[in-house]
């Protein structure tokens, strides 16, 4: 379904980044490349701009957004950096880690960004184009994944346009995202305790896993290609689009070499292909539950859960 905007495709160069900064300054929406997935950015200090994110995505307003900044100094102005948060930031930023911290009361973020919680999610992304954009603007960027709420996350500009063409002002096309899975989200409590709210590209072995309470957006049904998905499939029916791994080739293979990182980077691409195919159902061969395989299987289980 097309919306009322003409969505510009921008180049990932100086001119494109300057145009994106101009649109964002005026309160517009720009889909931006990051090392994880494409994000749908708006200035995080504007109620109007942030409201447009929720509208374009059809996102429930109880689901808060991640605040993207370019520097640790800027990040510190939004959340309480207890020593464990400082340690994780030093170790993994810029990169695919989001920290959920106690928010500082005097920050000027639009209230919809945190959806009424007293915590805030913050990330310094590593992608060069996103970094250049952040240094071109003097406000933080709120950015969820650039897809309609509940659907497959985008790892290319074409994926973004599949669900948001005509609903946003622009997309910066910088090719495919390297990691291909959303950032690892870790909540750091006042006492230094950490809870992994969403598994992702960064593995935090010692941290515990907290299933629901504080990641309101981690709904059971998510990343949906709009057709039934069967997991751990060992025999494939004729009417099934098969997502393969290793020597189980399939119609789209996550990694014929059995490389888990490559599999993560190709997951959403294969789900988009499966969604587009004529086949009415999807089957996915077993994916090892090791390392980033845990994040892959987390996304697949949600994709396989029917909505409602
Ligand atoms: O890699 C990523 O994280 C991408 C790129 C664009 O940065 N962004 C992304 O955003 O995946 P989104 O909105 O699709 O997922 C953000 C998740 C949601 O599940 C949301 O509920 C959770 O972060 N979240 C945001 N603020 C939170 C908070 N204060 N406490 C707990 N969870 C929070
Ligand atoms: Mg998302």
């Amino acid at each position: 379904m097309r919306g009322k905007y003409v969505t510009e495709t921008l180049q990932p160069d100086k001119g494109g980044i300057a145009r994106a900064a101009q649109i964002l300054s005026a309160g517009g929406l720009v889909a931006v490349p990051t090392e994880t997935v494409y994000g749908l950015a708006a200035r995080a200090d504007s109620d109007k701009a942030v409201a447009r994110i929720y509208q374009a995505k059809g996102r429930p307003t109880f689901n808060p957004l991640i605040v993207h900044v370019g520097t640790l100094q800027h990040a510190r102005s939004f959340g309480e950096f207890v020593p464990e948060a400082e340690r994780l930031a030093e170790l993994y930023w810029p990169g695919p880690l989001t920290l959920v911290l106690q928010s500082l009361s005097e920050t000027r973020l639009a209230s919809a960004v945190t959806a009424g919680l007293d915590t805030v999610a913050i990330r310094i992304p590593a992608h060069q184009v996103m970094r250049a954009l952040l240094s071109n603007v003097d406000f933080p960027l709120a950015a969820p994944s650039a897809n309609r709420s509940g659907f497959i996350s985008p790892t290319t500009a074409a994926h973004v346009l599949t669900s948001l063409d005509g609903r946003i002002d622009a997309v910066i096309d910088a090719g495919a995202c390297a990691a291909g899975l959303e950032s690892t989200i870790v909540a750091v409590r006042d006492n230094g305790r950490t809870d992994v709210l969403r598994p992702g590209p960064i593995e935090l072995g010692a941290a515990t896993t907290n299933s629901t309470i504080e990641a309101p957006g981690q709904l059971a049904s998510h990343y949906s290609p709009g057709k039934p998905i069967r997991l751990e499939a060992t025999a494939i029916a004729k009417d099934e689009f098969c997502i393969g791994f290793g020597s189980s080739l399939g119609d789209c293979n996550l990694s014929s070499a059995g490389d888990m990182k490559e599999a993560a980077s190709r997951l959403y691409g294969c789900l988009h292909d499966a969604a587009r195919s004529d086949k009415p159902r999807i089957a996915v061969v077993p994916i090892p539950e090791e390392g980033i395989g845990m994040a892959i299987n987390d996304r697949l289980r949600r994709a396989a859960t029917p909505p409602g």
Side-chain angles (χ1 to χ4, degrees):
M1 179 181 52
R2 289 188 65 114
K4 58 182 173 172
Y5 300 90
V6 174
T7 303
E8 296 174 39
T9 295
L10 305 174
Q11 294 306 303
D13 56 15
K14 247 184 158 181
I17 289 166
R19 173 74 184 132
Q22 184 185 38
I23 294 170
L24 290 164
S25 297
L29 297 184
V30 180
V32 295
T34 84
E35 71 277 25
T36 58
V37 299
Y38 274 73
L40 181 59
R43 57 187 304 164
D45 61 351
S46 158
D47 288 317
K48 264 193 172 162
V50 170
R52 275 195 62 197
I53 291 182
Y54 284 91
Q55 211 175 21
K57 282 183 62 91
R59 182 174 174 110
T61 50
F62 59 78
N63 191 359
L65 306 174
I66 297 173
V67 177
H68 297 71
V69 293
T71 66
L72 187 50
Q73 194 189 352
H74 200 183
R76 287 195 192 105
S77 70
F78 299 110
E80 197 171 319
F81 277 74
V82 296
E84 179 63 6
E86 286 285 343
R87 191 184 73 84
L88 291 172
E90 294 286 339
L91 262 177
Y92 296 113
W93 280 353
L97 176 73
T98 294
L99 294 178
V100 169
L101 307 175
Q102 200 63 40
S103 71
L104 297 178
S105 50
E106 66 275 21
T107 62
R108 273 174 295 148
L109 290 174
S111 58
V113 170
T114 51
L117 298 174
D118 57 5
T119 53
V120 60
I122 311 172
R123 176 160 110 81
I124 301 184
H127 196 289
Q128 287 310 317
V129 174
M130 181 62 165
R131 295 188 64 69
L133 178 62
L134 282 165
S135 65
N136 264 254
V137 298
D138 56 4
F139 41 78
L141 292 176
S145 50
N147 51 278
R148 293 294 294 267
S149 187
F151 291 93
I152 313 164
S153 300
T155 53
T156 66
H159 294 163
V160 172
L161 293 173
T162 302
S163 65
L164 295 175
D165 192 14
R167 304 180 66 85
I168 63 177
D169 299 293
V171 54
I172 303 178
D173 185 353
C177 303
L181 283 185
E182 295 87 346
S183 60
T184 303
I185 304 181
V186 180
V188 185
R189 317 294 176 189
D190 287 347
N191 62 7
R193 197 185 109 173
T194 53
D195 290 312
V196 175
L197 304 185
R198 179 175 71 186
I202 287 177
E203 294 155 43
L204 295 165
T208 53
T209 298
N210 172 325
S211 52
T212 45
I213 318 159
E214 263 205 276
Q218 289 300 91
L219 308 175
S221 174
H222 208 151
Y223 315 105
S224 167
K227 339 181 148 167
I229 302 191
R230 197 163 61 84
L231 303 181
E232 310 279 339
T234 47
I236 311 299
K238 272 218 173 79
D239 67 344
E240 287 179 320
F241 182 97
C242 175
I243 296 181
F245 176 75
S247 55
S248 308
L249 290 181
D251 298 297
C252 185
N253 194 287
L254 294 175
S255 170
S256 51
D259 180 271
M260 298 306 284
K261 256 191 161 167
E262 181 180 37
S265 74
R266 291 176 49 79
L267 176 67
Y268 291 139
C270 281
L271 283 171
H272 277 277
D273 286 355
R276 255 200 322 267
S277 101
D278 293 338
K279 305 224 170 124
R281 300 189 295 137
I282 302 167
V284 187
V285 306
I287 309 297
E289 183 78 6
E290 60 187 49
I292 199 169
M294 290 192 271
I296 296 174
N297 284 320
D298 166 74
R299 304 308 193 272
L300 281 171
R301 279 189 293 271
R302 293 176 206 278
T305 302

